[in-house]
Amino acid sequence: MTDYDLIAPFYDMEHAHFDEDVNLYMNFAELCGGPLLELACGSGRLLVPLALEGYKLTGVDSSKSMLNLAQHALEQAGVAEQCTLVQENMSTVRLGQKFRLAFIALGSFGHVCKRQEQRQTLAVVHDHLTVGSRFILDISNADVRYMEQLSGQVLHQGTWKRDDGALLSHFVSPASSPTKHLLELTHFYEEHQQGEAVQRTVTTTHLYLFERNEVELLLEEAGFEIIDVFGDYELSPFEHESPRMIFIAQTR
């Protein structure tokens, strides 16, 4: 079981309605054509709108629970036949297929914390793309820098009301490493029904704190040419305090 198998029951409550990046992937899909590959596809947040536009996709994730959510979402949208879901680590997956566009969205690459696995993941992406294809790598920037400064504190990420009337709250306690570019995040998910005891789920994830030059070097080592680096989903130029680091790369 992965950390995200534990998080899966709460993930969509927090992220399902996040769509700030959808137009980015729609535009590049239109530019590149299909088929499309999403690594760390989670619960299918991006797979569904892209499939609704008629694209053939493959989604890869290590969490079976997340893929179950994705399968349900695709079936509900009537586009399950356009998507292939694969349970595998994105640093080792071998699909036997080439794609025109690949992407790792919403900071998921940050969960690959070891340098060798980072290199392996980017090599896997490159191997699955045709010559001249595009790869989009979206990395969290300002938010993780902010949490790095709040080591040891507890941050309230939000509270949501479920269909059954229960309240779900998400708290995060970050801890930064003094010797590594690493952030340890302890997540507390609290479910509360009126008149009943609070049910708490606790899990820990890790985020690697990337610098721009690190990612550029990793991409170039993997055989990519960097086309652009943007700082947000409106494709503003990247600056040190930008909310995102969004790399647009092309296979050489």
Side-chain angles (χ1 to χ4, degrees), residues 13-63:
M13 181 70 70
E14 187 171 356
H15 296 95
H17 300 294
F18 179 85
D19 61 2
E20 294 177 19
D21 57 348
V22 171
N23 284 341
L24 169 70
Y25 297 103
M26 288 286 192
N27 291 337
F28 275 95
E30 184 177 357
L31 174 68
C32 299
L36 315 177
L37 170 64
E38 182 179 9
L39 297 167
C41 66
S43 61
R45 183 184 62 87
L46 290 171
L47 296 178
V48 170
L50 287 164
L52 286 170
E53 288 296 310
Y55 294 103
K56 296 287 187 181
L57 302 107
T58 296
V60 177
D61 203 282
S62 60
S63 167

Side-chain angles (χ1 to χ4, degrees), residues 141-151 153-157 174 183 209 241:
N141 188 52
D143 285 349
V144 294
R145 304 296 175 192
Y146 171 72
M147 286 194 289
E148 186 182 17
Q149 304 304 314
L150 298 176
S151 183
Q153 300 189 39
V154 177
L155 311 177
H156 179 220
Q157 299 297 97
L183 195 62
L209 303 176
E241 299 301 323

